[in-house]
Amino acid sequence: MRVILLGPPGAGKGTQAVKIAKEFDIPHISTGDIFRQNLRDNTDLGKLAKEYMDKGLLVPDEVTNKIVEDRLEKDDCQKGFLLDGYPRNVTQAEELDRFLQQKGTYLDCVLNIEVEEDALIERITGRRVCPNCGATYHIKTSPPAVDNVCDKCGAQLIQRSDDKLESVVKRLEVYESQTKPLIEYYTKKNTLVNIDGNKSVEEVFEDIKKALGDRGK
Ligand code: AMP
């Protein structure tokens, strides 16, 4: 099963991605997570990515494409993969098509999670993450049991620097101008399925499972 998760920042892609990867036993590849891990490890890639991430801008295509392709070459991607946050523009999508074609493979499904725009800013700015185990919370809709403390590992929760309002506004603009055209791109290729992301996490997941059917299981 080879799947892409599309949707604006705050649509719940990360939350659904974890569930899909588990259900279908495929690796979850999040370019945002890869950049953040590099940032924590203080690598040159992390330092470069930070310059763009903090401003809400996209990391250059050549850098991002290379990271994804190296990851897709790994053995665990033979059985399929779930891409979360990639591709982010038409150039990346074309490069992914070229890469997959060269491998003699193809995408099974592009899930496009749709959420009312008004809800996005509140969802993102209220998000808190655990820097230790990666668990995510929302100060209003899914707070931890103890304020600012991770339920799973007890670490102090943080707000991602790019989840602050200035970056969020820019990220939404970048989504509108660069990522949204992918909806038309994949519609034309007949691989796109729209998912109503305004529902609860469990309802969205049920709809996703229906959309993916039993393919690849
Ligand atoms: P995300 O966690 O997917 O919201 O990504 C956080 C940030 O990482 C984005 O705002 C970009 O700066 C960068 N990023 C993630 N994925 C990509 C991508 N496919 N292309 C370029 N930049 C990306």
Side-chain angles (χ1 to χ4, degrees):
M1 177 81 75
R2 289 168 294 270
V3 185
I4 287 179
L5 260 185
L6 268 189
K13 295 191 296 296
T15 306
Q16 294 298 331
V18 172
K19 296 169 87 65
I20 298 167
K22 192 167 170 217
E23 175 80 15
F24 293 92
D25 191 26
I26 47 177
H28 168 204
I29 303 170
S30 155
T31 37
D33 284 352
I34 294 173
F35 292 137
R36 282 184 288 277
Q37 184 61 50
N38 274 275
L39 199 58
R40 283 194 291 275
D41 295 345
N42 210 19
T43 66
D44 288 344
L45 171 65
K47 286 177 208 154
L48 174 92
K50 186 175 164 49
E51 286 178 33
Y52 296 89
M53 292 169 84
D54 280 352
K55 295 186 192 128
L57 300 174
L58 295 184
V59 176
D61 292 337
E62 317 80 73
V63 176
T64 311
N65 289 336
K66 169 92 172 66
I67 285 164
V68 172
E69 290 175 11
D70 286 351
R71 180 66 188 83
L72 291 177
E73 296 279 8
K74 299 249 161 79
D75 284 350
D76 63 340
C77 293
Q78 291 299 320
K79 59 185 172 188
F81 52 79
L82 172 67
L83 285 173
D84 162 13
Y86 181 93
R88 215 59 167 229
N89 59 27
V90 172
T91 312
Q92 293 181 4
E94 286 171 347
E95 175 55 24
L96 179 64
D97 278 347
R98 193 202 56 74
F99 177 82
L100 293 177
Q101 206 169 25
Q102 184 200 314
K103 301 259 156 222
T105 187
Y106 53 87
L107 291 169
D108 291 294
C109 190
V110 177
L111 296 165
N112 178 41
I113 307 187
E114 300 178 295
V115 174
E116 303 283 337
E117 211 175 309
D118 290 351
L120 294 173
I121 291 192
E122 193 173 318
R123 280 193 186 197
I124 309 175
T125 52
R127 178 157 65 188
R128 296 293 179 272
V129 296
C130 174
N132 183 45
C133 74
T136 58
Y137 300 85
H138 189 279
I139 48 174
K140 285 197 189 136
T141 54
S142 59
V146 178
D147 254 8
N148 262 320
V149 176
C150 180
D151 290 346
K152 294 191 180 140
C153 71
Q156 197 73 17
L157 301 180
I158 56 162
Q159 182 178 41
R160 272 169 49 178
S161 57
D162 62 343
D163 278 351
K164 298 196 171 119
L165 192 59
E166 320 81 79
S167 298
V168 172
V169 170
K170 188 69 201 165
R171 283 164 70 200
L172 288 171
E173 274 172 32
V174 168
Y175 168 78
E176 279 294 320
S177 62
Q178 301 199 44
T179 312
K180 217 172 173 183
L182 291 179
I183 295 176
E184 196 189 333
Y185 181 88
Y186 287 118
T187 301
K188 282 192 184 144
K189 290 182 179 282
N190 267 325
T191 37
L192 192 98
V193 178
N194 286 314
I195 298 288
D196 180 358
N198 298 295
K199 300 181 186 173
S200 72
V201 169
E202 282 313 319
E203 284 170 322
V204 173
F205 185 50
E206 284 307 311
D207 290 347
I208 287 176
K209 279 196 289 186
K210 262 183 237 149
L212 294 177
D214 280 332
R215 279 180 292 173
K217 276 197 94 178

